Amino acid sequence: MPQDKAIAMAKLAPEMQADLADMTTSTEAESTLVEIDEGGALARNLAIPTLAGRIERAGGFSGIPMSSRHYGTASECLAQAVYYEAALEPEQGQRAVAQVVLNRVRHPAYPNTVCGVVYQGWNQPVCQFSFTCDGALMRAPQANLWRQSKQIAREALAGREVAEVGTATHYHADYVVPYWAFKMGKLATIGRHIFYRFPGSPGRAASFYGNWAGREFKPQVDFARFLADDTEERVARVAEPTYIPGLTVVPDVTDRHAKADVGGRIDTTKTWRLTIPDPVEASAGYRNTLSSQGALIADEVAPAEVSEQEQ
């Protein structure tokens, strides 16, 4: 409903409308964070007051029939959000993440498809769910956690709710403090995620009136750019350091070594170089051994030679 969408968006403060793209739900860009350490972040987040009063519910989501050929795509996108955003969170926290996605599907500020919400900004500098634009999808899911994520996605699409997060459209980890946290309505903390709703009427249940678009499209993420970035990083990590002549270890008074080495390592500031002589050429013992063996062989061969001459 374009007219309703325009009305709902008009109710959002202009500043917040401008900030929507930066109000991501997971790993935050540095520019969106309050500069503070993790311990301080926990304290700051605790200091943000939780909204008083009854938490409104957007109602169970049941907009996509299982018979739809788009159901599988929607379920997969939702399962990916649950897995990559909250696989190690408690089950209720995983369900809350799924609810945030489906709340957005029905809110006019966001796309009206599941995959559209999950992949929003996937090809932009800032994406709403970081796993879609940071290469995380290149990591194969852990089988048991992926099965659980898919089950939670299916149950969320069937209408299962998490009452304490109500009309939440945002969340962030408790070890960061995004600037927008102070502008939203804090609803609940589950696991390490803190959930928020829009302030005022845009965060009320009446604003979640959007209908599912009737189709789903999952974009084809170009993983080549992540591989290229990864290759550059790996090359940088394995690059050989520049050779600088000098000591490779710090000498110690307890070291027992020649003047031209340090603890068994060559001091390249000296002119001495390690050489291993050819034992055949340099060992007197080796030559003596050969000489004595040759003499014995000569003594053993001599009688045979004499007998042959006599014959």
Side-chain angles (χ1 to χ4, degrees), residues 55-111:
I55 296 178
E56 294 189 9
R57 298 166 55 187
F61 186 91
S62 57
I64 309 177
M66 292 186 66
S67 58
S68 169
R69 63 188 180 91
H70 296 281
Y71 178 87
T73 304
S75 181
E76 182 178 3
C77 286
L78 186 56
Q80 286 179 324
V82 172
Y83 179 87
Y84 289 101
E85 294 284 299
L88 300 181
E89 289 293 295
E91 181 178 322
Q92 194 75 338
Q94 295 177 45
R95 295 188 185 281
V97 167
Q99 186 162 319
V100 165
V101 172
L102 297 181
N103 282 349
R104 287 191 175 195
V105 172
R106 290 183 292 184
H107 197 281
Y110 295 97

Side-chain angles (χ1 to χ4, degrees), residues 46-47 61 73 90-91 98 102 136 142 145 153 173 176 204 214 222 228 242 262 276 283 286:
L46 284 172
F61 186 91
T73 304
E91 181 178 322
L102 297 181
Q142 186 175 320
L145 296 177
V176 296
R204 304 290 297 273
D222 180 14
T242 303
V262 184
I276 302 176
S283 174
Y286 183 79

Side-chain angles (χ1 to χ4, degrees), residues 11-12 16 51 183-185 197-204:
K11 294 178 181 178
L12 270 177
M16 185 163 289
L51 285 179
K183 303 179 180 181
M184 306 285 279
R197 74 171 181 118
F198 281 123
S201 60
R204 304 290 297 273

